[in-house]
Amino acid sequence: MNTNAFTAHESNVRRYCRAFPTVFTKALGATIWDETGKPFIDFLVGSGALNYGHNNPKILAPAIEYLVGENILLSLDMYTAAKRDFIEAFVDCILKPRGLSYKIQFPGPTGTNANEAALALARKYTGRSSVMAFTNSYHGMSLGSLAVSGSASTRQLGGVARHDVVRVPYENYPNQTFDSASYIDHVLGDPGSGIEKPAAIILEPIQAEGGMNTASAPWLSEIQRICRKHGVIFIVDDIQAGAGRTGDFFSFEFAKIEPDIVCLSKSLSGSGNPLSTVLIRPDMDIWNPGEHSGTFRGNNLAFVTSTAMCTMWSDRQFTTAVERTAVKLQTHLDRLVANFPKCIEQKRGRGLMAGLKCRSQAVVGRVHDVAFENGLLIESSGPNRDVIKVLPPITISDDELDHGIAILNQALQEQDNA
């Protein structure tokens, strides 16, 4: 396995290649092969950017047709047929069936671009500067997104002080008895709290990088009520948890809430092509033309693949299959929790965005290594890296899912017997 070019010339910042030391060459569905021909079941899927699997033919076919047709690939924010098709499909297949009405902003192509735009708009709309963010949150790698992220090591990047952020406890932090929503409501309404009213509250319904911490429907509903009571913009970062990951298209659907702003990226294109959107409550769309920009906000190939992805959500057969797969995965994980109490503390997450909180970082490290040797890609998360993230494609076949879980079971069995 020749990795000389990478070690000689690629920056030390590289990460995943150190965890998976092989050279990958092709992929289909939930399976990825290295250059020796060894297959791996992919429970990493581009850290949630490939919810629909690798090279999904229903998504890839229109992209191939588009590429060979001398069509526009980059358009800034000019009108194109591909962009129009995406907007119409997103409104008709995603927003309208859920009773949602948003204006759609295309910032730069990544999740952190969406979050930066959302924060800037909330500050512009309210005229206030501070933002309330949560413990163990993660919102991206640009400065504004870093500021509202929870990890100390993440926030220290860039060497620039981050001001105007109020850190508050996520649901059940630091223990099951603390009522964080009531605390937020109280400090926002108490002139003696020392906390000025923020422009926005930003949260992830599931904190993927923070350890797969999951907000309940009552808590999310209460945060929305508090935001409306105090005139604070409610921003949901649905970058990793959205686009189908939890079994619904939006991870907040189960709570029957309607955030003021929703940020989407990662699997929004359905194909791994970069694409992000900021969904804005219509009356909040007070941007001046060109006030927020980004060269690559017109990725037309991503519009094409995302249009194909959106139409899949109008297919009841597809949505039923996703629901069934989510139940199957959760059943598998319940069995692992029951069988390996020495290794696993609890199951976390929801739907097809799941995690196993383990007894230690060492357990996760050993399980990761054994799983990789046996043909499974998994990732860790949490401030102590003691949570196994389980992110199969939402389109994974039963055979692939069963095979991946069997490898994970074997790796846990080895640690249980150690």
Side-chain angles (χ1 to χ4, degrees):
M1 191 79 59
N2 184 355
T3 60
N4 293 340
F6 309 114
T7 55
H9 303 293
E10 191 176 1
S11 167
N12 288 331
V13 79
R14 64 192 187 277
R15 172 189 168 191
Y16 287 108
C17 55
R18 301 180 192 273
F20 308 114
T22 190
V23 179
F24 295 104
T25 55
K26 68 175 186 176
L28 183 65
T31 304
I32 182 170
W33 288 264
D34 71 10
E35 64 183 1
T36 71
K38 181 178 179 178
F40 296 82
I41 300 296
D42 191 356
F43 280 9
L44 171 65
V45 291
S47 196
L50 292 164
N51 287 355
Y52 301 85
H54 295 272
N55 296 312
N56 187 310
K58 292 183 178 179
I59 293 173
L60 208 60
I64 294 170
E65 181 179 352
Y66 190 83
L67 279 172
V68 300
E70 299 181 353
N71 290 299
I72 295 169
L73 293 178
L74 176 66
S75 60
L76 301 175
D77 67 356
M78 292 184 286
Y79 300 145
T80 66
K83 184 177 182 179
R84 181 179 57 206
D85 290 345
F86 164 74
I87 291 173
E88 291 175 347
F90 189 79
V91 170
D92 292 341
C93 302
I94 305 300
L95 295 183
K96 285 185 177 179
R98 291 161 179 81
L100 299 173
S101 177
Y102 289 112
K103 297 292 287 294
I104 304 170
Q105 178 184 353
F106 299 98
T110 70
T112 196
N113 296 132
N115 282 334
E116 294 280 2
L119 294 170
L121 180 59
R123 286 170 166 138
K124 175 181 171 67
Y125 184 82
T126 62
R128 300 190 291 269
S129 60
S130 68
V131 173
M132 194 167 274
F134 288 91
T135 51
N136 289 317
S137 59
Y138 175 76
H139 297 288
M141 297 300 292
S142 52
L143 288 182
S145 297
L146 287 170
V148 293
S149 295
S151 169
S153 61
T154 298
R155 285 185 286 110
Q156 290 164 3
L157 290 172
V160 178
R162 281 100 184 171
H163 304 293
D164 294 328
V165 175
V166 179
R167 191 76 50 197
V168 290
Y170 196 72
E171 185 177 16
N172 297 325
Y173 181 96
N175 54 54
Q176 300 288 326
T177 62
F178 184 74
D179 187 349
S180 61
S182 291
Y183 168 78
I184 294 166
D185 193 11
H186 184 79
V187 299
L188 290 182
D190 181 4
S193 69
I195 296 176
E196 295 184 8
K197 184 183 294 185
I201 291 179
I202 184 170
L203 64 79
E204 305 154 276
I206 300 179
Q207 294 184 321
E209 302 308 311
M212 304 302 283
N213 307 308
T214 307
S216 68
W219 188 80
L220 288 170
S221 181
E222 183 65 3
I223 295 297
Q224 176 172 269
R225 184 195 69 81
I226 292 166
C227 285
R228 290 177 177 174
K229 173 184 175 181
H230 295 284
V232 174
I233 304 304
F234 183 26
I235 303 173
V236 166
D237 175 346
D238 221 13
I239 287 162
Q240 187 163 160
R245 173 46 58 189
T246 62
D248 297 321
F249 186 84
F250 297 106
S251 70
F252 57 82
E253 287 183 45
F254 81 114
K256 296 180 171 54
I257 60 173
E258 189 170 342
D260 299 310
I261 299 177
V262 180
C263 298
L264 292 170
S265 188
K266 282 195 180 284
S267 281
L268 179 60
S269 76
S271 61
N273 272 295
L275 178 66
S276 72
T277 62
V278 182
L279 307 182
I280 305 167
R281 197 181 75 204
D283 66 284
M284 287 186 58
D285 185 26
I286 60 170
W287 289 120
N288 295 317
E291 187 175 9
H292 193 278
S293 189
T295 301
F296 295 102
R297 64 195 184 278
N299 183 347
N300 282 255
L301 188 62
F303 291 149
V304 171
T305 57
S306 189
T307 299
M309 178 274 292
C310 289
T311 60
M312 293 168 68
W313 286 90
S314 295
D315 180 353
R316 184 57 189 161
Q317 186 175 353
F318 167 77
T319 57
T320 299
V322 172
E323 293 167 3
R324 184 183 62 80
T325 302
V327 171
K328 185 178 177 69
L329 173 63
Q330 291 295 322
T331 301
H332 275 309
L333 297 182
D334 286 337
R335 189 175 301 115
L336 293 178
V337 172
N339 289 344
F340 303 109
K342 286 170 54 180
C343 297
I344 304 170
E345 288 184 20
Q346 62 178 181
K347 180 185 72 174
R348 292 183 178 177
R350 181 159 44 83
L352 287 148
M353 188 170 190
L356 297 172
K357 171 68 168 65
C358 294
R359 300 290 176 184
S360 69
Q361 181 183 18
V363 168
V364 174
R366 290 192 294 267
V367 169
H368 169 281
D369 292 345
V370 173
F372 175 69
E373 291 172 7
N374 293 331
L376 175 67
L377 306 184
I378 55 172
E379 183 184 11
S380 64
S381 75
N384 298 310
R385 312 309 294 181
D386 56 1
V387 178
I388 298 171
K389 287 174 70 176
V390 183
L391 300 179
I394 66 174
T395 55
I396 191 171
S397 69
D398 286 346
D399 287 345
E400 287 173 313
L401 181 58
D402 291 345
H403 183 40
I405 292 294
I407 295 173
L408 183 56
N409 182 89
Q410 181 182 348
L412 288 163
Q413 183 72 61
E414 289 191 24
Q415 301 316 303
D416 195 59
N417 294 334

